[in-house]
Amino acid sequence: MIGKESTVGRVVKFAFLGVWLLFTVFPLYWITVTSLKAPGDIFQFPLAYWPERFSLENYSGLFGTADFGTYLTNSLIVSTVAGATATAISMLSAYVLARFEFRTKSALLMAALVTQMIPSFIALGPLYLLMTDLQLVDNRFGLILVYIAVCIPFCTVMLRGFFENIPDALEEAAMIDGLSRFSALFRVLLPVMRPGIIAAFIFNFVNCWNELFLSVTLMNSDSNKTVPTALNGFISSFNIDWGSMSAAAVLTILPTMLLFAFASRHIVQGLTSGAVKG
């Protein structure tokens, strides 16, 4: 009886996972297939779930007429610089919150958590006025500053959990051996925290890579637009360029998929070791 129940349970579990996998993978498959169809074949009826002939016309159009390479370069620069800088700043602030006690510690943690509950588009108006006064509208450096400010609260809370799971004795032993607190942080704690740091950087990078509202608001010229802004540009009032949008979506998804594929071990290790202690 127990064997039958366990078998039924496994069948139900695998059936559920199969349905979930279908709903997850099919949109990616359909976007990829659509991007490889000739523009005239996209709207054919009945729908073709496998192209009769493959075409790279949508991809060549992206780099020939839409200058998609510039958008990819802008997104890569902005996401990498903002993600790395936010991770470095958050690492220091998380260390302070994990290792020291001071009067406003709880208030700072609460403020960092509350900021994650506020949609970013609520602050678009005041933010645009501020960036205009600073002459940072339509400027990649200005967008990087905004992304750093957006990423720091969540990244700080995340890395604080990693620091709290590292025993204080490890740092104290390094300081007894003659290292300063600053040296102990960089020479002893950070190598131990490498999976957590990698995980934090990847989350920051992906958030910056996929962000739309701020980039649309702050970037006007084609030479400074990022990939999400370019994808939004394929939608007009009367038409949607499905072929070009699908090709652009595939090229947009690939970097993050490759990043997660190569760093998946560090991400899993970092997230499991960084669980916040009760």
Side-chain angles (χ1 to χ4, degrees), residues 10-269:
R10 286 197 296 268
V11 170
V12 172
K13 179 177 66 175
F14 282 111
F16 175 79
L17 290 175
V19 173
W20 177 82
L21 182 64
L22 178 64
F23 277 95
T24 303
V25 173
F26 183 77
L28 299 176
Y29 165 79
W30 188 248
I31 290 174
T32 304
V33 167
T34 302
S35 70
L36 294 173
K37 291 181 179 179
D41 297 338
I42 293 177
F43 300 102
Q44 68 177 3
F45 186 82
L47 291 175
Y49 291 93
W50 187 258
E52 297 179 1
R53 59 187 182 93
F54 289 94
S55 173
L56 296 177
E57 186 175 344
N58 293 317
Y59 291 92
S60 61
L62 283 180
F63 294 95
T65 58
D67 199 17
F68 196 72
T70 300
Y71 306 142
L72 285 174
T73 302
N74 290 336
S75 283
L76 184 62
I77 293 173
V78 170
S79 301
T80 303
V81 175
T85 306
T87 303
I89 296 174
S90 300
M91 180 182 63
L92 298 176
S93 59
Y95 174 76
V96 172
L97 291 173
R99 288 292 191 260
F100 297 96
E101 294 295 333
F102 49 92
R103 182 176 301 176
T104 59
K105 178 178 177 179
S106 298
L108 288 175
L109 285 172
M110 182 61 65
L113 293 174
V114 168
T115 57
Q116 304 307 303
M117 306 176 189
I118 303 175
S120 59
F121 64 83
I122 291 179
L124 286 181
L127 179 62
Y128 184 81
L129 294 177
L130 174 62
M131 300 302 285
T132 300
D133 292 338
L134 296 175
Q135 298 182 353
L136 291 176
V137 174
D138 198 23
N139 186 307
R140 285 185 299 185
F141 177 71
L143 187 62
I144 289 173
L145 289 180
V146 173
Y147 282 169
I148 291 173
V150 171
C151 291
I152 284 177
F154 172 77
C155 191
T156 298
V157 175
M158 180 179 178
L159 290 176
R160 173 177 173 264
F162 297 125
F163 277 116
E164 288 190 336
N165 279 274
I166 298 177
D168 295 343
L170 185 65
E171 183 180 3
E172 292 171 356
M175 296 174 66
I176 291 175
D177 289 339
L179 292 181
S180 65
R181 183 177 291 274
F182 195 75
S183 298
L185 170 63
F186 281 91
R187 297 177 61 180
V188 178
L189 297 186
L190 295 191
V192 177
M193 281 188 58
R194 184 176 62 177
I197 294 173
I198 293 176
F201 169 75
I202 290 176
F203 275 101
N204 287 337
F205 179 89
V206 172
N207 286 335
C208 296
W209 182 271
N210 294 329
E211 199 282 324
L212 173 63
F213 292 110
L214 295 173
S215 61
V216 169
T217 302
L218 298 177
M219 293 299 182
N220 301 321
S221 62
D222 289 338
S223 60
N224 289 323
K225 286 182 179 179
T226 56
V227 167
T229 309
L231 287 172
N232 187 62
F234 292 116
I235 303 175
S236 63
S237 300
F238 305 100
N239 183 43
I240 299 178
D241 189 350
W242 289 109
S244 298
M245 176 178 284
S246 298
V250 171
L251 294 176
T252 302
I253 294 171
L254 276 178
T256 55
M257 290 183 64
L258 293 175
L259 189 63
F260 274 101
F262 285 112
S264 59
R265 179 174 60 88
H266 295 287
I267 295 174
V268 174
Q269 184 180 353

